[in-house]
Amino acid sequence: MASKKREIQLQAVINNQSLWDEMLQNKGLTVIDVYQAWCGPCKAMQTLFRKLKNEVNEDEILHFAVAEADSIVTLQPFRDKCEPVFLFSINGKIVAKIKGANAPLVNQKIITLINEERKIAAGEMVRPQYHEVAFADSDAEDAGEAAYESVEQVYSIVIIKPDAVVASKVLEIKDKIINAQFVIEAEDKRLLTEEQVKYFYSQLADQPDFEDFVSFMTSGLSYILVISQGKEQQPPWDKSDPNSEAEPKEPWDDQQETARATGMKQKLESLQEYLERQNISQFCDVEENITNTKFIDVFFPDLKRMKSIKVEKILALLRPALFHERKEAVLNIIEDEGFKILMQRQIVLSREEAETLCKEHENKDYFESLIENMTSGPSLALVLLRENGLRHWRQLIGPSTVKEAEEYFPQREQAHRGTPAWLWLLT
């Protein structure tokens, strides 16, 4: 009898429309197990829910409920289904849905939403504009998801191990991946849970030291990357000259037409093979050719939504004087403006390279001084990522001269004095 009481305390029982409407008044996150009357709630998930309620609910913003689809009008689209469904409600708005008793995925979704709620409450982030899950078109939505997955790119997941993170290997590994024309679609540094490790490394579960390995992987921060294969691989920067950091490269240029014209298409190398050839495979583990998006959702549940947004990469250059004098200030402004710095590399421009970059100014009186400035020392090349990145970047750098900035944007000029002279847009 006591056990039954604990279950009721863990999950509120919703078995009519009135109770459903009342439940939507909850503040914070409510996780709803939608079930059919003939089979009952998903008991397999209750251990996870109880663990989360004990560990992450000190501020009481996490709630659990079970809702009977047969007796609630709103949940009519879920009737006569045999697969468990979990809905996630934020302040009465259903923002996510997960099918199946996928404990690692459900756990990650809860942790992600709870962390967002705490950051919002602390004023550290603005509440995202969630798209509410539409129940009425549930079947069509499922068909759409299936179609989306069928044409989705094939991904690889890379987990950079805790000891490699401590040894500051992350930037080196990311640089080599980008140099080889692979695309980093998403990345995050986090402390993996036991569920995530066991899910990702399930093929090692029979190994005698697997539990020790799980303990190691959960002992410190790991770095997770979602990688897609570029259309064609071009020779990486470090392949032609291991000391060529002084030469600016543009690995994102599309060379497809040239390759077609010459008929010299290069065979695609697998990510695992490439990492082994670069002698860094011991620092990270790779799961390649992933077509099951639920596997990726364990680490990045919002990847589909992120990719539906027009996110653009741009390449920018911090000139020598500013790189030397105000590097950190400029990087802080870039990040404050919502750009994510995917990569940064110190380079030294040759005169020929500087003239190419500054070609539009070659007939100006100041051209020679500009070239001298651009070649006077190391510059900092930045790969930046942001929604509508190019438009926001142009707004950030503003007019090309301080005089124009003072005339047309006096407030911006006071806030970021000299900003147009700091930055040089390459693409």
Side-chain angles (χ1 to χ4, degrees), residues 203-223:
Q203 73 279 9
L204 303 178
D206 295 335
Q207 300 294 323
D209 58 350
F210 183 63
E211 290 301 325
D212 292 338
F213 177 74
V214 172
S215 297
F216 161 69
M217 290 299 297
T218 56
S219 64
L221 293 172
S222 297
Y223 215 97

Side-chain angles (χ1 to χ4, degrees), residues 43-137:
K43 293 186 179 296
M45 300 292 287
Q46 291 180 354
T47 300
L48 170 64
F49 292 160
R50 186 172 288 109
K51 174 177 177 289
L52 289 169
K53 195 172 183 70
N54 291 335
E55 293 181 355
V56 303
N57 198 34
E58 65 271 11
D59 41 9
E60 298 185 352
I61 60 172
L62 175 60
H63 314 279
F64 294 97
V66 292
E68 184 182 304
D70 305 73
S71 57
I72 301 172
V73 175
T74 302
L75 300 181
Q76 182 176 355
F78 297 107
R79 293 176 187 174
D80 302 321
K81 309 287 184 182
C82 60
E83 187 177 23
V85 174
F86 298 92
L87 303 177
F88 300 81
S89 170
I90 295 288
N91 297 336
K93 183 177 183 179
I94 306 298
V95 300
K97 176 184 70 175
I98 292 178
K99 288 185 175 182
N102 188 331
L105 182 55
V106 171
N107 178 79
Q108 183 59 45
K109 173 61 77 172
I110 292 173
I111 295 297
T112 298
L113 293 175
I114 284 293
N115 288 341
E116 285 185 359
E117 285 301 296
R118 287 176 177 158
K119 289 180 181 179
I120 292 168
E124 298 175 3
M125 68 175 287
V126 178
R127 182 174 298 282
Q129 295 298 313
Y130 296 112
H131 297 288
E132 188 164 12
V133 174
F135 298 158
D137 196 24

Side-chain angles (χ1 to χ4, degrees), residues 114-212:
I114 284 293
N115 288 341
E116 285 185 359
E117 285 301 296
R118 287 176 177 158
K119 289 180 181 179
I120 292 168
E124 298 175 3
M125 68 175 287
V126 178
R127 182 174 298 282
Q129 295 298 313
Y130 296 112
H131 297 288
E132 188 164 12
V133 174
F135 298 158
D137 196 24
S138 180
D139 291 338
E141 179 186 332
D142 294 342
E145 287 182 0
Y148 181 93
E149 291 182 11
S150 68
V151 299
E152 185 62 82
Q153 277 185 291
V154 176
Y155 293 109
S156 298
I157 291 181
V158 174
I159 293 185
I160 303 176
K161 300 173 185 176
D163 56 347
V165 175
V166 172
S168 301
K169 291 287 185 179
V170 173
L171 184 58
E172 176 189 352
I173 294 171
K174 287 173 56 181
D175 277 358
K176 289 185 179 296
I177 289 173
I178 293 172
N179 293 346
Q181 305 298 288
F182 293 97
V183 178
I184 299 177
E185 301 285 355
E187 58 182 288
D188 192 19
K189 180 168 70 174
R190 68 177 68 159
L191 188 66
L192 296 178
T193 66
E194 287 189 10
E195 290 85 357
Q196 290 171 333
V197 175
K198 290 179 179 179
Y199 190 64
F200 186 80
Y201 294 98
S202 59
Q203 73 279 9
L204 303 178
D206 295 335
Q207 300 294 323
D209 58 350
F210 183 63
E211 290 301 325
D212 292 338

